[in-house]
Amino acid sequence: MERQLTVAVLGASTNREKYGNKAVRAYRQAGYKVFPVNPRADVIEGIKCYPSLLAIPETLDRVSVYLPPALGVTALDEIAKKGVKELYINPGAESDDLVSKAKSLGLEPILACSIVEIGMSPGEFE
């Protein structure tokens, strides 16, 4: 049996209208093992929520970022420490500072909507 792909949604939200929540639902529907990350929530969409990336006890295939750029920049050190294979910076989360810092840490940020990348539309999760 193939190993289930893992994803952390950084900036996951309890608000179903926010993309950080839609991503949790989209990845779960696509068959990923989802790790919502939000220090102010215990559970999102019925899934245990983690206060930080480093609190997640598993290897991550992907991190999908839904944070304002200034917060995203501060999260990059944790992302690099975690040894993530793919880093998606979703629309609205990107900035020149974030991209240059990510590259300086050896990360290859992908500037794209990760929901679309897995073959879904955020509009499916209204």
Side-chain angles (χ1 to χ4, degrees), residues 35-65:
F35 297 94
V37 178
N38 182 328
R40 292 182 299 283
D42 294 324
V43 175
I44 292 178
E45 294 298 318
I47 303 170
K48 174 183 165 74
C49 194
Y50 291 85
S52 71
L53 275 180
L54 297 179
I56 297 170
E58 294 192 34
T59 301
L60 295 170
D61 295 303
R62 176 182 289 186
V63 170
S64 187
V65 179

PDB file of all heavy atoms in Angstrom, residues 35-65:
ATOM      1  N   PHE A  35      -2.582  18.163   8.486  1.00  0.00           N
ATOM      2  CA  PHE A  35      -2.183  18.702   9.783  1.00  0.00           C
ATOM      3  C   PHE A  35      -2.451  20.201   9.791  1.00  0.00           C
ATOM      4  O   PHE A  35      -1.623  20.980   9.302  1.00  0.00           O
ATOM      5  CB  PHE A  35      -0.698  18.442  10.046  1.00  0.00           C
ATOM      6  CG  PHE A  35      -0.351  16.984  10.136  1.00  0.00           C
ATOM      7  CD1 PHE A  35       0.097  16.307   9.016  1.00  0.00           C
ATOM      8  CD2 PHE A  35      -0.490  16.289  11.326  1.00  0.00           C
ATOM      9  CE1 PHE A  35       0.413  14.963   9.082  1.00  0.00           C
ATOM     10  CE2 PHE A  35      -0.181  14.940  11.401  1.00  0.00           C
ATOM     11  CZ  PHE A  35       0.273  14.271  10.280  1.00  0.00           C
ATOM     12  N   PRO A  36      -3.613  20.627  10.316  1.00  0.00           N
ATOM     13  CA  PRO A  36      -3.860  22.068  10.424  1.00  0.00           C
ATOM     14  C   PRO A  36      -2.911  22.683  11.456  1.00  0.00           C
ATOM     15  O   PRO A  36      -2.633  22.065  12.488  1.00  0.00           O
ATOM     16  CB  PRO A  36      -5.306  22.158  10.914  1.00  0.00           C
ATOM     17  CG  PRO A  36      -5.882  20.783  10.772  1.00  0.00           C
ATOM     18  CD  PRO A  36      -4.736  19.838  10.807  1.00  0.00           C
ATOM     19  N   VAL A  37      -2.397  23.883  11.163  1.00  0.00           N
ATOM     20  CA  VAL A  37      -1.517  24.584  12.096  1.00  0.00           C
ATOM     21  C   VAL A  37      -2.124  25.955  12.389  1.00  0.00           C
ATOM     22  O   VAL A  37      -2.277  26.782  11.494  1.00  0.00           O
ATOM     23  CB  VAL A  37      -0.088  24.740  11.526  1.00  0.00           C
ATOM     24  CG1 VAL A  37       0.797  25.514  12.504  1.00  0.00           C
ATOM     25  CG2 VAL A  37       0.517  23.383  11.209  1.00  0.00           C
ATOM     26  N   ASN A  38      -2.481  26.146  13.657  1.00  0.00           N
ATOM     27  CA  ASN A  38      -3.020  27.418  14.126  1.00  0.00           C
ATOM     28  C   ASN A  38      -2.891  27.409  15.648  1.00  0.00           C
ATOM     29  O   ASN A  38      -3.512  26.580  16.306  1.00  0.00           O
ATOM     30  CB  ASN A  38      -4.484  27.580  13.713  1.00  0.00           C
ATOM     31  CG  ASN A  38      -5.071  28.921  14.135  1.00  0.00           C
ATOM     32  OD1 ASN A  38      -4.699  29.490  15.158  1.00  0.00           O
ATOM     33  ND2 ASN A  38      -6.017  29.417  13.344  1.00  0.00           N
ATOM     34  N   PRO A  39      -2.084  28.306  16.214  1.00  0.00           N
ATOM     35  CA  PRO A  39      -1.883  28.287  17.666  1.00  0.00           C
ATOM     36  C   PRO A  39      -3.126  28.654  18.477  1.00  0.00           C
ATOM     37  O   PRO A  39      -3.160  28.435  19.676  1.00  0.00           O
ATOM     38  CB  PRO A  39      -0.758  29.311  17.890  1.00  0.00           C
ATOM     39  CG  PRO A  39      -0.766  30.173  16.681  1.00  0.00           C
ATOM     40  CD  PRO A  39      -1.294  29.336  15.550  1.00  0.00           C
ATOM     41  N   ARG A  40      -4.163  29.150  17.816  1.00  0.00           N
ATOM     42  CA  ARG A  40      -5.366  29.562  18.541  1.00  0.00           C
ATOM     43  C   ARG A  40      -6.549  28.594  18.362  1.00  0.00           C
ATOM     44  O   ARG A  40      -7.674  28.941  18.706  1.00  0.00           O
ATOM     45  CB  ARG A  40      -5.775  30.970  18.119  1.00  0.00           C
ATOM     46  CG  ARG A  40      -4.765  32.026  18.588  1.00  0.00           C
ATOM     47  CD  ARG A  40      -5.148  33.441  18.239  1.00  0.00           C
ATOM     48  NE  ARG A  40      -5.267  33.697  16.807  1.00  0.00           N
ATOM     49  CZ  ARG A  40      -4.247  33.874  15.976  1.00  0.00           C
ATOM     50  NH1 ARG A  40      -3.019  33.811  16.417  1.00  0.00           N
ATOM     51  NH2 ARG A  40      -4.448  34.112  14.700  1.00  0.00           N
ATOM     52  N   ALA A  41      -6.290  27.404  17.825  1.00  0.00           N
ATOM     53  CA  ALA A  41      -7.378  26.436  17.642  1.00  0.00           C
ATOM     54  C   ALA A  41      -6.910  25.052  18.090  1.00  0.00           C
ATOM     55  O   ALA A  41      -5.740  24.716  17.967  1.00  0.00           O
ATOM     56  CB  ALA A  41      -7.808  26.398  16.175  1.00  0.00           C
ATOM     57  N   ASP A  42      -7.840  24.273  18.627  1.00  0.00           N
ATOM     58  CA  ASP A  42      -7.531  22.899  19.042  1.00  0.00           C
ATOM     59  C   ASP A  42      -7.910  21.897  17.958  1.00  0.00           C
ATOM     60  O   ASP A  42      -7.262  20.870  17.786  1.00  0.00           O
ATOM     61  CB  ASP A  42      -8.265  22.541  20.335  1.00  0.00           C
ATOM     62  CG  ASP A  42      -7.777  23.368  21.513  1.00  0.00           C
ATOM     63  OD1 ASP A  42      -6.567  23.664  21.567  1.00  0.00           O
ATOM     64  OD2 ASP A  42      -8.609  23.740  22.360  1.00  0.00           O
ATOM     65  N   VAL A  43      -9.024  22.203  17.261  1.00  0.00           N
ATOM     66  CA  VAL A  43      -9.549  21.299  16.235  1.00  0.00           C
ATOM     67  C   VAL A  43     -10.062  22.151  15.083  1.00  0.00           C
ATOM     68  O   VAL A  43     -10.697  23.188  15.305  1.00  0.00           O
ATOM     69  CB  VAL A  43     -10.713  20.447  16.803  1.00  0.00           C
ATOM     70  CG1 VAL A  43     -11.358  19.598  15.723  1.00  0.00           C
ATOM     71  CG2 VAL A  43     -10.228  19.566  17.943  1.00  0.00           C
ATOM     72  N   ILE A  44      -9.766  21.725  13.856  1.00  0.00           N
ATOM     73  CA  ILE A  44     -10.317  22.388  12.669  1.00  0.00           C
ATOM     74  C   ILE A  44     -10.890  21.306  11.768  1.00  0.00           C
ATOM     75  O   ILE A  44     -10.188  20.354  11.403  1.00  0.00           O
ATOM     76  CB  ILE A  44      -9.241  23.221  11.932  1.00  0.00           C
ATOM     77  CG1 ILE A  44      -8.838  24.417  12.813  1.00  0.00           C
ATOM     78  CG2 ILE A  44      -9.761  23.702  10.573  1.00  0.00           C
ATOM     79  CD1 ILE A  44      -7.757  25.295  12.242  1.00  0.00           C
ATOM     80  N   GLU A  45     -12.163  21.437  11.453  1.00  0.00           N
ATOM     81  CA  GLU A  45     -12.862  20.461  10.608  1.00  0.00           C
ATOM     82  C   GLU A  45     -12.722  19.035  11.169  1.00  0.00           C
ATOM     83  O   GLU A  45     -12.564  18.076  10.429  1.00  0.00           O
ATOM     84  CB  GLU A  45     -12.366  20.529   9.157  1.00  0.00           C
ATOM     85  CG  GLU A  45     -12.692  21.831   8.455  1.00  0.00           C
ATOM     86  CD  GLU A  45     -14.186  22.092   8.317  1.00  0.00           C
ATOM     87  OE1 GLU A  45     -14.957  21.158   8.004  1.00  0.00           O
ATOM     88  OE2 GLU A  45     -14.603  23.244   8.533  1.00  0.00           O
ATOM     89  N   GLY A  46     -12.763  18.930  12.492  1.00  0.00           N
ATOM     90  CA  GLY A  46     -12.694  17.619  13.134  1.00  0.00           C
ATOM     91  C   GLY A  46     -11.299  17.014  13.190  1.00  0.00           C
ATOM     92  O   GLY A  46     -11.124  15.863  13.587  1.00  0.00           O
ATOM     93  N   ILE A  47     -10.278  17.786  12.804  1.00  0.00           N
ATOM     94  CA  ILE A  47      -8.901  17.301  12.783  1.00  0.00           C
ATOM     95  C   ILE A  47      -8.112  18.037  13.867  1.00  0.00           C
ATOM     96  O   ILE A  47      -8.219  19.261  13.988  1.00  0.00           O
ATOM     97  CB  ILE A  47      -8.244  17.563  11.408  1.00  0.00           C
ATOM     98  CG1 ILE A  47      -9.058  16.921  10.286  1.00  0.00           C
ATOM     99  CG2 ILE A  47      -6.807  17.040  11.390  1.00  0.00           C
ATOM    100  CD1 ILE A  47      -8.618  17.340   8.889  1.00  0.00           C
ATOM    101  N   LYS A  48      -7.307  17.292  14.635  1.00  0.00           N
ATOM    102  CA  LYS A  48      -6.462  17.909  15.665  1.00  0.00           C
ATOM    103  C   LYS A  48      -5.605  18.992  15.028  1.00  0.00           C
ATOM    104  O   LYS A  48      -4.999  18.785  13.981  1.00  0.00           O
ATOM    105  CB  LYS A  48      -5.563  16.846  16.295  1.00  0.00           C
ATOM    106  CG  LYS A  48      -4.534  17.396  17.282  1.00  0.00           C
ATOM    107  CD  LYS A  48      -3.630  16.285  17.803  1.00  0.00           C
ATOM    108  CE  LYS A  48      -2.386  16.777  18.476  1.00  0.00           C
ATOM    109  NZ  LYS A  48      -2.518  17.337  19.768  1.00  0.00           N
ATOM    110  N   CYS A  49      -5.556  20.136  15.680  1.00  0.00           N
ATOM    111  CA  CYS A  49      -4.792  21.273  15.189  1.00  0.00           C
ATOM    112  C   CYS A  49      -3.507  21.393  16.006  1.00  0.00           C
ATOM    113  O   CYS A  49      -3.495  21.119  17.206  1.00  0.00           O
ATOM    114  CB  CYS A  49      -5.637  22.538  15.326  1.00  0.00           C
ATOM    115  SG  CYS A  49      -4.998  23.939  14.426  1.00  0.00           S
ATOM    116  N   TYR A  50      -2.423  21.798  15.360  1.00  0.00           N
ATOM    117  CA  TYR A  50      -1.130  21.925  16.008  1.00  0.00           C
ATOM    118  C   TYR A  50      -0.753  23.392  16.166  1.00  0.00           C
ATOM    119  O   TYR A  50      -1.066  24.209  15.298  1.00  0.00           O
ATOM    120  CB  TYR A  50      -0.059  21.192  15.187  1.00  0.00           C
ATOM    121  CG  TYR A  50      -0.261  19.705  15.229  1.00  0.00           C
ATOM    122  CD1 TYR A  50      -1.143  19.083  14.350  1.00  0.00           C
ATOM    123  CD2 TYR A  50       0.384  18.925  16.178  1.00  0.00           C
ATOM    124  CE1 TYR A  50      -1.370  17.714  14.413  1.00  0.00           C
ATOM    125  CE2 TYR A  50       0.172  17.554  16.244  1.00  0.00           C
ATOM    126  CZ  TYR A  50      -0.707  16.961  15.364  1.00  0.00           C
ATOM    127  OH  TYR A  50      -0.938  15.611  15.443  1.00  0.00           O
ATOM    128  N   PRO A  51      -0.055  23.739  17.256  1.00  0.00           N
ATOM    129  CA  PRO A  51       0.316  25.139  17.485  1.00  0.00           C
ATOM    130  C   PRO A  51       1.459  25.604  16.592  1.00  0.00           C
ATOM    131  O   PRO A  51       1.631  26.796  16.375  1.00  0.00           O
ATOM    132  CB  PRO A  51       0.743  25.151  18.957  1.00  0.00           C
ATOM    133  CG  PRO A  51       1.177  23.752  19.244  1.00  0.00           C
ATOM    134  CD  PRO A  51       0.314  22.869  18.374  1.00  0.00           C
ATOM    135  N   SER A  52       2.252  24.657  16.064  1.00  0.00           N
ATOM    136  CA  SER A  52       3.375  25.010  15.200  1.00  0.00           C
ATOM    137  C   SER A  52       3.724  23.809  14.329  1.00  0.00           C
ATOM    138  O   SER A  52       3.313  22.680  14.612  1.00  0.00           O
ATOM    139  CB  SER A  52       4.599  25.389  16.032  1.00  0.00           C
ATOM    140  OG  SER A  52       5.140  24.225  16.650  1.00  0.00           O
ATOM    141  N   LEU A  53       4.506  24.065  13.290  1.00  0.00           N
ATOM    142  CA  LEU A  53       4.957  22.964  12.433  1.00  0.00           C
ATOM    143  C   LEU A  53       5.802  21.963  13.203  1.00  0.00           C
ATOM    144  O   LEU A  53       5.697  20.763  13.000  1.00  0.00           O
ATOM    145  CB  LEU A  53       5.816  23.510  11.285  1.00  0.00           C
ATOM    146  CG  LEU A  53       5.111  24.004  10.050  1.00  0.00           C
ATOM    147  CD1 LEU A  53       6.140  24.488   9.045  1.00  0.00           C
ATOM    148  CD2 LEU A  53       4.241  22.942   9.435  1.00  0.00           C
ATOM    149  N   LEU A  54       6.658  22.473  14.087  1.00  0.00           N
ATOM    150  CA  LEU A  54       7.571  21.589  14.806  1.00  0.00           C
ATOM    151  C   LEU A  54       6.841  20.683  15.790  1.00  0.00           C
ATOM    152  O   LEU A  54       7.399  19.679  16.238  1.00  0.00           O
ATOM    153  CB  LEU A  54       8.664  22.399  15.500  1.00  0.00           C
ATOM    154  CG  LEU A  54       9.575  23.188  14.542  1.00  0.00           C
ATOM    155  CD1 LEU A  54      10.613  23.990  15.316  1.00  0.00           C
ATOM    156  CD2 LEU A  54      10.239  22.286  13.518  1.00  0.00           C
ATOM    157  N   ALA A  55       5.593  21.007  16.121  1.00  0.00           N
ATOM    158  CA  ALA A  55       4.804  20.157  17.021  1.00  0.00           C
ATOM    159  C   ALA A  55       4.210  18.945  16.297  1.00  0.00           C
ATOM    160  O   ALA A  55       3.730  18.010  16.927  1.00  0.00           O
ATOM    161  CB  ALA A  55       3.680  20.977  17.661  1.00  0.00           C
ATOM    162  N   ILE A  56       4.252  18.947  14.971  1.00  0.00           N
ATOM    163  CA  ILE A  56       3.699  17.833  14.188  1.00  0.00           C
ATOM    164  C   ILE A  56       4.687  16.666  14.261  1.00  0.00           C
ATOM    165  O   ILE A  56       5.856  16.820  13.915  1.00  0.00           O
ATOM    166  CB  ILE A  56       3.452  18.266  12.727  1.00  0.00           C
ATOM    167  CG1 ILE A  56       2.400  19.380  12.690  1.00  0.00           C
ATOM    168  CG2 ILE A  56       3.013  17.071  11.876  1.00  0.00           C
ATOM    169  CD1 ILE A  56       2.245  20.047  11.339  1.00  0.00           C
ATOM    170  N   PRO A  57       4.206  15.488  14.704  1.00  0.00           N
ATOM    171  CA  PRO A  57       5.121  14.369  14.950  1.00  0.00           C
ATOM    172  C   PRO A  57       5.498  13.560  13.710  1.00  0.00           C
ATOM    173  O   PRO A  57       6.117  12.516  13.834  1.00  0.00           O
ATOM    174  CB  PRO A  57       4.330  13.502  15.936  1.00  0.00           C
ATOM    175  CG  PRO A  57       2.908  13.745  15.567  1.00  0.00           C
ATOM    176  CD  PRO A  57       2.848  15.193  15.129  1.00  0.00           C
ATOM    177  N   GLU A  58       5.130  14.018  12.530  1.00  0.00           N
ATOM    178  CA  GLU A  58       5.394  13.241  11.319  1.00  0.00           C
ATOM    179  C   GLU A  58       6.183  14.054  10.300  1.00  0.00           C
ATOM    180  O   GLU A  58       6.225  15.276  10.360  1.00  0.00           O
ATOM    181  CB  GLU A  58       4.073  12.786  10.681  1.00  0.00           C
ATOM    182  CG  GLU A  58       3.317  11.797  11.558  1.00  0.00           C
ATOM    183  CD  GLU A  58       2.174  11.127  10.819  1.00  0.00           C
ATOM    184  OE1 GLU A  58       2.291  10.884   9.607  1.00  0.00           O
ATOM    185  OE2 GLU A  58       1.162  10.850  11.479  1.00  0.00           O
ATOM    186  N   THR A  59       6.770  13.340   9.335  1.00  0.00           N
ATOM    187  CA  THR A  59       7.435  13.971   8.202  1.00  0.00           C
ATOM    188  C   THR A  59       6.354  14.576   7.311  1.00  0.00           C
ATOM    189  O   THR A  59       5.299  13.972   7.122  1.00  0.00           O
ATOM    190  CB  THR A  59       8.227  12.912   7.412  1.00  0.00           C
ATOM    191  OG1 THR A  59       9.170  12.325   8.303  1.00  0.00           O
ATOM    192  CG2 THR A  59       8.944  13.518   6.228  1.00  0.00           C
ATOM    193  N   LEU A  60       6.634  15.742   6.774  1.00  0.00           N
ATOM    194  CA  LEU A  60       5.658  16.411   5.912  1.00  0.00           C
ATOM    195  C   LEU A  60       6.130  16.401   4.461  1.00  0.00           C
ATOM    196  O   LEU A  60       7.275  16.744   4.179  1.00  0.00           O
ATOM    197  CB  LEU A  60       5.449  17.857   6.364  1.00  0.00           C
ATOM    198  CG  LEU A  60       4.817  18.024   7.743  1.00  0.00           C
ATOM    199  CD1 LEU A  60       4.895  19.476   8.183  1.00  0.00           C
ATOM    200  CD2 LEU A  60       3.378  17.532   7.746  1.00  0.00           C
ATOM    201  N   ASP A  61       5.228  16.021   3.567  1.00  0.00           N
ATOM    202  CA  ASP A  61       5.524  16.096   2.141  1.00  0.00           C
ATOM    203  C   ASP A  61       5.378  17.523   1.639  1.00  0.00           C
ATOM    204  O   ASP A  61       6.089  17.953   0.740  1.00  0.00           O
ATOM    205  CB  ASP A  61       4.565  15.193   1.348  1.00  0.00           C
ATOM    206  CG  ASP A  61       4.774  13.734   1.702  1.00  0.00           C
ATOM    207  OD1 ASP A  61       5.911  13.248   1.544  1.00  0.00           O
ATOM    208  OD2 ASP A  61       3.810  13.082   2.152  1.00  0.00           O
ATOM    209  N   ARG A  62       4.436  18.251   2.232  1.00  0.00           N
ATOM    210  CA  ARG A  62       4.103  19.580   1.717  1.00  0.00           C
ATOM    211  C   ARG A  62       3.637  20.479   2.852  1.00  0.00           C
ATOM    212  O   ARG A  62       2.978  20.024   3.775  1.00  0.00           O
ATOM    213  CB  ARG A  62       2.981  19.432   0.690  1.00  0.00           C
ATOM    214  CG  ARG A  62       2.458  20.738   0.147  1.00  0.00           C
ATOM    215  CD  ARG A  62       1.323  20.523  -0.827  1.00  0.00           C
ATOM    216  NE  ARG A  62       1.831  19.944  -2.070  1.00  0.00           N
ATOM    217  CZ  ARG A  62       1.081  19.750  -3.153  1.00  0.00           C
ATOM    218  NH1 ARG A  62      -0.196  20.065  -3.138  1.00  0.00           N
ATOM    219  NH2 ARG A  62       1.612  19.236  -4.241  1.00  0.00           N
ATOM    220  N   VAL A  63       3.974  21.760   2.726  1.00  0.00           N
ATOM    221  CA  VAL A  63       3.396  22.793   3.580  1.00  0.00           C
ATOM    222  C   VAL A  63       2.719  23.788   2.647  1.00  0.00           C
ATOM    223  O   VAL A  63       3.299  24.212   1.649  1.00  0.00           O
ATOM    224  CB  VAL A  63       4.457  23.514   4.440  1.00  0.00           C
ATOM    225  CG1 VAL A  63       3.858  24.729   5.135  1.00  0.00           C
ATOM    226  CG2 VAL A  63       5.035  22.567   5.474  1.00  0.00           C
ATOM    227  N   SER A  64       1.479  24.122   2.972  1.00  0.00           N
ATOM    228  CA  SER A  64       0.724  25.100   2.202  1.00  0.00           C
ATOM    229  C   SER A  64       0.469  26.292   3.125  1.00  0.00           C
ATOM    230  O   SER A  64      -0.137  26.151   4.183  1.00  0.00           O
ATOM    231  CB  SER A  64      -0.593  24.472   1.731  1.00  0.00           C
ATOM    232  OG  SER A  64      -1.264  25.347   0.864  1.00  0.00           O
ATOM    233  N   VAL A  65       0.977  27.467   2.719  1.00  0.00           N
ATOM    234  CA  VAL A  65       0.961  28.644   3.587  1.00  0.00           C
ATOM    235  C   VAL A  65      -0.198  29.577   3.242  1.00  0.00           C
ATOM    236  O   VAL A  65      -0.341  30.018   2.102  1.00  0.00           O
ATOM    237  CB  VAL A  65       2.304  29.405   3.500  1.00  0.00           C
ATOM    238  CG1 VAL A  65       2.285  30.651   4.381  1.00  0.00           C
ATOM    239  CG2 VAL A  65       3.462  28.492   3.896  1.00  0.00           C
TER     240      VAL A  65
END
